[in-house]
Structures are given as C-alpha cells and as structure tokens.
Amino acid sequence: MTEPRIEVLDDPSAAVGELMAEAAAGGRHIVLTGGSTPRAAYEHAAGLGADWSRATFWFGDERCVPPDHEQSNFAMAEKALLGRIEAGAVHRMKGELGAAAGADDYERQLRTVFGDEGVPRIDLILLGLGPDAHCASLFPGDSALGVTDRLVTGVEVPGMAPLVPRITFTLPLLNAGVEVVFLVAGEDKAEAVARAFGGLRPGPDAPSSLVRPESGSLRVLLDSDAAKHL
C-alpha cells in the first residue's frame, strides 16, 4: 500500500496540467475528474501545445445528466480541454443512461480496451477532493465503497449536491492506478485534506483515505490554503 506524497505548490493546477501533457506525449491513458480546480488544470494543459494525438481519456465519475448539461463532468472537460485539442480517444461515461446502465456500459468500454482479466492499471488517474473527503463519486459510508467485484458502479443517492445519481470508478480500479494524483485547492478543503491524508487511520468516513495504490504512486498536490491543517 502506497503512502501519499504530499506537495504544497504555488500553482498545483499548473503542475497537473504539465503532468497531463507529459502523459499525453507518452501516449498514455489519462482519467479526468470534475470540479473547478481541475478545470484550471485542463485549461492550462490545453495551452501547452502538447501532442495529444496518442492520448486516451477516461472519466473517473459522472453525474447522470446529458453530456451537454451544466452539471456534466464531460461538458466541463470538453469546454476546458477536449474541445481544444486533438485527442487520440475519449471514452465518455454515458450519464444519460442512468446509474446502473451507465456503469455497465463503462465497464464494457474498459474491458474492451484493457481486456477481460484482472483490474486495469491506468497510467494517470486525476482526482479531486470534496469537503466531506469524498473522491470520484465515492461518498462517506456509501455502499459503493464496498464494491470489489466491479470496475465501475452506480450511485443512486449521492452524499452531497448536486443530488443526481452518479457513475463512478470503484476503489479496486483507483488503487490499481500507475500514478494517482489528487489536486486540491482552497481553505474550504483543508479539513478534508487533514482527514484523508493527515495520518489518521483510513476509513469509510473519509473515502479519499482509502485510495492507496497497491503498487503505483500517490501524489497529493495542494495549495497552501488546502494544506493549512496538515
């Protein structure tokens, strides 16, 4: 189990944008996340002039809304990054199918690309952190935290707004990542950062604390406000 490498940076979003560009240049698989801080990373990445033609993009979670909806993670990523580059491939979570059917569809997409055996080791997985210490759409105490026989699962009742069903990667898939990177900014996330990465025993009340890659790396990139309680 990998312990987190915590880095406090002046501009963690820019650092993540550069990580993405580097991964793209290597033709790697990149998992995107939602949120305002990742949006800044995507906008920075789009302006770097990188070669994105061999990169493959995935999503770690999605709200069950149409792809052009204001609450859609895909819509945000499309505007900030994907619509501004020539990506090799983009695998969208089809939130409009609903939580269960959308999760089934995305599991099929992953298996088609990575094969039917074992848990895929995705090159770069980007994650945000909610004020309740959730990540992807894995919320405190939710049954989705206990799903170990699937790569993707549905969440019918999320733990915080917007209160629409979700599709999410499971912990086994997150913990199989080669490089897992949390991007967190703002004083409103400082308490959650301390709960998830401050040395307390991992537990379901802070789902991000359960992301500990089995053989990959785990980096937590913070600004000084988010790191103030560490």
Side-chain angles (χ1 to χ4, degrees):
M1 180 181 295
T2 303
E3 292 301 313
R5 174 184 162 191
I6 296 173
E7 303 171 48
V8 182
L9 306 174
D10 290 336
D11 192 347
S13 292
V16 167
E18 288 156 14
L19 279 176
M20 294 172 64
E22 181 181 354
R28 297 189 175 98
H29 292 260
I30 302 170
V31 176
L32 301 179
T33 187
S36 58
T37 307
R39 182 190 298 118
Y42 303 159
E43 291 170 345
H44 181 81
L48 291 176
D51 178 7
W52 301 92
S53 63
R54 295 187 300 125
T56 300
F57 289 96
W58 302 86
F59 285 80
D61 75 316
E62 183 58 280
R63 286 84 176 262
C64 290
V65 296
D68 58 352
H69 194 280
E70 64 181 4
Q71 294 176 353
S72 166
N73 287 339
F74 172 80
M76 181 275 282
E78 173 74 9
K79 183 176 181 180
L81 174 65
L82 300 175
R84 301 168 59 190
I85 63 173
E86 296 293 334
V90 177
H91 294 270
R92 180 177 71 84
M93 283 182 167
K94 298 175 183 176
E96 67 272 20
L97 297 179
D104 289 344
D105 176 82
Y106 213 60
E107 182 127 0
R108 284 192 294 269
Q109 291 188 53
L110 285 160
R111 289 302 185 189
T112 297
V113 173
F114 290 101
D116 292 331
E117 299 298 325
V119 180
R121 298 200 67 213
I122 301 178
D123 299 304
L124 176 61
I125 299 177
L126 304 178
L127 292 170
L129 179 74
D132 60 352
H134 85 267
C135 64
S137 282
L138 298 170
F139 295 96
D142 192 84
S143 61
L145 292 171
V147 175
T148 60
D149 59 347
R150 291 181 58 98
L151 306 178
V152 187
T153 192
V155 176
E156 292 291 348
V157 182
M160 63 180 297
L163 298 177
V164 296
R166 314 287 184 97
I167 303 164
T168 185
F169 275 18
T170 60
L171 281 170
L173 184 52
L174 294 177
N175 282 328
V178 176
E179 184 173 14
V180 180
V181 179
F182 279 87
L183 170 61
V184 193
E187 187 175 354
D188 61 324
K189 302 292 182 69
E191 182 178 345
V193 167
R195 289 173 58 203
F197 308 113
L200 300 176
R201 184 185 298 274
D205 60 327
S208 295
S209 72
L210 301 174
V211 178
R212 296 291 188 270
E214 296 171 7
S215 57
S217 66
L218 175 60
R219 299 174 66 187
V220 182
L221 305 188
L222 310 170
D223 67 4
S224 57
D225 287 337
K228 67 182 301 180
H229 294 328
L230 289 177

